[in-house]
Amino acid sequence: MRNRILALAALAAAIGSPLAAQAQSGVTVGRAPAVVDNAPTIAVEQRPAFREYVVEQRVPPFRIPDRVVVGTTLPEAGVTYYDVPQRFGATTYRYTVVNGETVLVEPRSRRIVEVLD
């Protein structure tokens, strides 16, 4: 009888271990994904000059039905992306205007990496 109890306890522990480990590595619900990118963005002191540059360029705005937030992926069609001049430093990104806000976009994924307005 004692051996059966020990055997059942060992079996329960063996079956329960993967479930407990799986529960610990589950997905957290309700949090936005973190965007980790070490590429340089436009320095804070250069942002007013960059905004002025964008206004001077008369970049046509693109409209999306959602809020403009970091991490949003823009559609493949209908959006024009522009090179950021080297004097502003963020040369790995492109910029565009979405819903009246200037955004920096990672060109391959079309994900917004920074909202400048």
Side-chain angles (χ1 to χ4, degrees):
M1 178 78 165
R2 187 171 165 185
N3 288 341
R4 279 190 176 166
I5 294 173
L6 289 175
L8 287 174
L11 182 61
I15 291 172
S17 294
L19 293 176
Q22 189 175 23
Q24 290 176 355
S25 64
V27 176
T28 302
V29 178
R31 296 188 62 180
V35 178
V36 178
D37 196 341
N38 293 330
T41 61
I42 296 173
V44 173
E45 61 273 0
Q46 292 218 347
R47 289 180 186 182
F50 182 70
R51 282 189 211 103
E52 186 176 314
Y53 169 81
V54 172
V55 169
E56 288 172 358
Q57 297 303 306
R58 296 185 181 179
V59 173
F62 180 77
R63 288 257 170 237
I64 60 174
D66 300 324
R67 287 184 16 193
V68 178
V69 294
V70 172
T72 300
T73 300
L74 297 176
E76 287 186 54
V79 184
T80 303
Y81 302 100
Y82 304 90
D83 291 333
V84 175
Q86 282 189 322
R87 70 178 185 243
F88 296 112
T91 57
T92 59
Y93 299 122
R94 305 292 181 265
Y95 77 91
T96 193
V97 177
V98 180
N99 295 357
E101 299 187 69
T102 303
V103 297
L104 292 180
V105 179
E106 201 288 314
R108 282 176 267 140
S109 67
R110 302 177 327 278
R111 292 186 73 104
I112 296 174
V113 295
E114 189 165 359
V115 179
L116 296 170
D117 288 327

